[in-house]
Amino acid sequence: MAVGIFDSGLGGLTVLDAVAKRLPDVPLVYLGDSASAPYGVRTPDDIYDLTTKATQRLFDAGCDLVILACNTASAAALRRMQEGWVPEGKRVLGVFVPLIEALTERQWGDNSPPREVNAKHVALFATPATVSSRAFQRELAFRAIGVDVEAQACGGVVDAIEDGDMILAEALVRSHVDALQRKMPEPDAAILGCTHYPLMEAQFQAALGDKVKVFSQANLVAESLADYLDRRPQMIGPGTVSGFLTTGDPDQVSSRATQFLRRQITFEAA
Ligand code: DGL
């Protein structure tokens, strides 16, 4: 019984942590493709190739269900994977839909026609690949009408976080918020559309001000996964052992992950 959680690097640990708290009895296998991160500056074909390879590795580890905790992979590869790659009996889910369901005040899995919602001016902070995919706007348009979205590609933030340079990450967050506010002076909601950004949530909130509601994914994804597994318990696969896999250097990745989550995390080579 194991569920796979995939990210391009360390950012998906924010999702893993929330899922582990919400579903403490479900074994989780995490795979971070740190050797290939950042994905956010890669082409859609490249992101698709890397994401399918990593997902296959999680299937091989006994997972029948894999969560693409990476927004960039969800935006650039998920639809293509679901349309022609995911093998019979396996499932791959992304992280956009739970976020958009929360933003549009829907129950998980409510597929009724689009309607007016409270949020009218939404700021999206994401990687360059996620912004150029327009996947967020597409999923939003299925569920809401009359929402103005301004997207800000936050170049450099993921690299700074992966390198552990939080001073640079904070400076970049301030400058990306500033750039967004020049295009949309008064957003009423902001989406942190990258798994790494919850690690900078306080800095985003401070730069945006108290009036802006900041939506961060980790808890939303955990709640929606709990609901999904309630309805489809058979999707918890045959694996019984939790673990952390990386394509990067296990020692280096373990020490950075331990620093992020403030508990001992030990990665093995994928
Ligand atoms: N974790 C990815 C995401 O959520 C971004 C990191 C990257 O660029 O690799 O979009």
Side-chain angles (χ1 to χ4, degrees):
M1 301 207 322
V3 170
I5 299 191
F6 164 70
D7 185 50
S8 57
L10 290 171
L13 290 172
T14 55
V15 173
L16 173 113
D17 210 33
V19 171
K21 285 189 182 122
R22 180 66 182 79
L23 298 165
D25 298 328
V26 175
L28 302 170
V29 182
Y30 183 88
L31 171 54
D33 190 8
S34 289
S36 315
Y39 277 23
V41 289
R42 291 178 178 274
T43 64
D45 279 348
D46 206 6
I47 295 167
Y48 173 83
D49 290 343
L50 291 167
T51 305
T52 48
K53 192 167 160 213
T55 303
Q56 185 60 52
R57 177 71 184 83
L58 286 167
F59 289 155
D60 296 342
C63 304
D64 283 348
L65 170 64
V66 171
I67 309 297
L68 300 187
C70 179
N71 291 267
T72 305
S74 301
L78 178 60
R79 177 182 278 228
R80 190 169 155 198
M81 288 168 77
Q82 288 173 331
E83 283 172 358
W85 180 84
V86 179
E88 186 79 31
K90 307 283 187 193
R91 289 278 187 289
V92 181
L93 301 176
V95 283
F96 272 117
V97 170
L99 183 73
I100 291 172
E101 285 175 339
L103 177 74
T104 56
E105 307 141 36
R106 284 175 179 247
Q107 298 294 319
W108 311 130
D110 170 359
N111 286 326
S112 58
R115 55 179 180 255
E116 283 212 37
V117 295
N118 280 331
K120 299 285 180 231
H121 303 284
V122 175
L124 168 67
F125 297 96
T127 66
T130 298
V131 168
S132 63
S133 76
R134 301 182 66 79
F136 177 85
Q137 287 89 330
R138 196 169 54 236
E139 292 294 340
L140 183 65
F142 289 136
R143 294 170 179 83
I145 46 180
V147 184
D148 181 20
V149 177
E150 196 61 67
Q152 176 65 31
C154 298
V157 177
V158 167
D159 307 66
I161 294 173
E162 288 279 325
D163 291 345
D165 189 344
M166 303 317 256
I167 295 174
L168 174 60
E170 181 170 351
L172 289 170
V173 164
R174 265 190 262 113
S175 101
H176 288 305
V177 168
D178 194 52
L180 182 284
Q181 285 171 328
R182 273 184 258 127
K183 298 178 280 183
M184 179 182 271
E186 291 192 357
D188 37 43
I191 302 290
L192 304 189
C194 170
T195 44
H196 289 63
Y197 301 169
L199 295 163
M200 306 301 294
E201 185 170 345
Q203 289 78 0
F204 272 103
Q205 185 74 71
L208 284 159
D210 289 345
K211 284 198 197 126
V212 181
K213 181 166 171 49
V214 173
F215 286 80
S216 183
Q217 276 164 331
N219 290 331
L220 298 171
V221 173
E223 278 310 320
S224 121
L225 176 62
D227 177 71
Y228 182 89
L229 290 176
D230 252 4
R231 288 181 283 120
R232 297 181 184 79
Q234 74 280 11
M235 289 316 299
I236 303 179
T240 52
V241 181
S242 290
F244 294 88
L245 303 171
T246 179
T247 57
D249 170 21
D251 289 341
Q252 196 186 31
V253 172
S254 300
S255 90
R256 210 141 275 162
T258 300
Q259 190 188 334
F260 281 154
L261 290 193
R262 299 197 180 94
R263 63 183 163 92
Q264 181 62 44
I265 305 282
T266 306
F267 274 84
E268 289 166 36

